[in-house]
Amino acid sequence: MNRSDFLAGLRSGFVVAVSSAPFAVLFGAVAVDNGLSVLDVGLMSALVFAGASQLVGIELFGSHVPAWLIVLSILAVNFRHVLYSAALAPMFSRYSPMQRLLAFFLLTDPQYADAIRRSETNQSLSFTWYLTFGLVVWLQWVVFSVLGAWFGGLLGDPRTFAIDVLLPIYFLGLVVTFRRRTGFYPVVLASMTGAVLAYHFVGSPWHVSIGAVLGILVAVLLPAPLAQARSSVAPEAH
């Protein structure tokens, strides 16, 4: 085990764990309100480990909507993970099949963003770093979900303490680190506009996938970085 990779994974995972802990508490409290036991909450967080999708599922379970609508709604929230996995698959080529399965199970939004950032800055994407990062976040999610199930009713709505803004702020910080990439601003603007409009006219959770799809469409339509570089060099050559 590489000690520096282990410590780097520990540091990165700890930041995500702290910022997402309020959501784990919120999920535990909401799940108990919708009829799950503390054991159910712990098992769901440990085996499903899907963050926002767990919240969506629990809310829909309590609404007695058709099962196909629950499945479709969760798919809408988690569709982005298909794209994440496709992007990370080449980077996992050195992992064994079992390591790849574990890596995809532990994959979260912050870990995807950090993995891409490390890859682009030629830092190690070793299994030690990835596993340490993922396990810290997974363990936090399970522990704080159970704590939320036990004590969430005493705390009330975490949003009244404004601690629910920690994770969005962390996500915003991750997005900003990619600001120097070609097409960053058009893609972010398209995704943001699409998500806001979809939230108002279509509703949650579809705004997540609709915003992502619009951002992807704009990224596809933009000229490739190599083509842009050639076009900018060509006039000077003449």
Side-chain angles (χ1 to χ4, degrees):
M1 176 182 293
N2 185 300
R3 179 180 170 82
S4 63
D5 284 352
F6 172 76
L7 293 176
L10 203 60
R11 285 193 296 270
S12 300
F14 181 75
V15 173
V16 178
V18 170
S19 58
S20 60
F23 282 90
V25 173
L26 177 64
F27 165 71
V30 171
V32 168
D33 281 344
N34 282 275
L36 268 66
S37 67
V38 175
L39 179 61
D40 293 336
V41 172
L43 287 175
M44 186 176 186
S45 287
L47 300 176
V48 178
F49 187 47
S53 296
Q54 288 180 231
L55 271 171
V56 171
I58 288 296
E59 295 282 4
L60 292 177
F61 290 154
S63 302
H64 304 292
V65 299
W68 66 267
L69 185 57
I70 297 176
V71 172
L72 202 59
S73 298
I74 293 176
L75 178 64
V77 176
N78 268 349
F79 178 75
R80 68 194 188 283
H81 280 264
V82 176
L83 305 175
Y84 291 170
S85 301
L88 289 177
M91 304 176 195
F92 292 167
S93 59
R94 289 177 299 176
Y95 295 179
S96 69
M98 188 56 68
Q99 288 175 332
R100 282 198 290 272
L101 286 175
L102 186 56
F104 287 130
F105 172 73
L106 293 173
L107 180 60
T108 57
D109 300 276
Q111 186 147 12
Y112 166 76
D114 219 6
I116 294 295
R117 181 186 61 79
R118 289 177 69 88
S119 173
E120 292 182 344
T121 54
N122 296 319
Q123 297 182 71
S124 170
L125 200 63
S126 69
F127 186 67
T128 298
W129 173 82
Y130 192 96
L131 182 66
T132 306
F133 188 131
L135 284 180
V136 169
V137 178
W138 176 84
L139 184 62
Q140 170 277 136
W141 180 256
V142 175
V143 170
F144 279 88
S145 293
V146 172
L147 289 176
W150 259 326
F151 305 112
L154 300 177
L155 294 174
D157 189 350
R159 287 171 292 189
T160 59
F161 301 101
I163 55 179
D164 58 314
V165 301
L166 290 176
L167 194 59
I169 289 174
Y170 176 79
F171 278 132
L172 185 61
L174 283 176
V175 171
V176 170
T177 61
F178 294 100
R179 64 187 181 281
R180 298 186 188 281
R181 296 185 64 168
T182 303
F184 171 83
Y185 291 102
V187 170
V188 169
L189 182 62
S191 182
M192 180 183 68
T193 305
V196 170
L197 292 176
Y199 183 79
H200 285 285
F201 294 107
V202 181
S204 178
W206 301 100
H207 65 293
V208 177
S209 294
I210 292 174
V213 169
L214 284 177
I216 292 169
L217 286 176
V218 171
V220 170
L221 294 174
L222 288 173
L226 185 58
Q228 284 185 332
R230 285 175 175 170
S231 63
S232 63
V233 168
E236 295 180 3
H238 291 287

